[in-house]
Amino acid sequence: MTEKRVWFKDSEEVETFVSAAGQCDFEIDILCDHIYIDAKSILGVLGLGLRKELTVKYFGENAKFENTLKNYAVA
């Protein structure tokens, strides 16, 4: 399992992220406090709210997804 922190400033960023996640054949979750959401669900991710730090947990490897994730990574 890999875990990274991300931050989305608007719904377009969420849409790009969810699109990249949807192309992966492994499980990807987003965690906010104690709530887990499927990262392949745009409504679920938007429901967590924008402009807050979220944790992405995923259980596989995909270069395109990793590159997309870098755009939203919290330093």
Side-chain angles (χ1 to χ4, degrees), residues 4-53:
K4 297 193 177 173
R5 296 205 173 276
V6 296
W7 176 280
F8 302 113
K9 66 180 179 185
D10 58 38
S11 60
E12 289 178 19
E13 289 187 350
V14 173
E15 185 177 348
T16 302
F17 171 81
V18 170
S19 177
Q23 296 176 12
C24 298
D25 62 350
F26 49 87
E27 185 177 337
I28 305 170
D29 295 320
I30 291 191
L31 171 66
C32 180
D33 296 323
H34 297 291
I35 301 169
Y36 279 84
I37 298 294
D38 182 356
K40 298 176 185 182
S41 166
I42 192 163
L43 292 177
V45 177
L46 286 171
L48 292 175
L50 298 172
R51 299 179 184 207
K52 64 170 73 171
E53 192 171 303

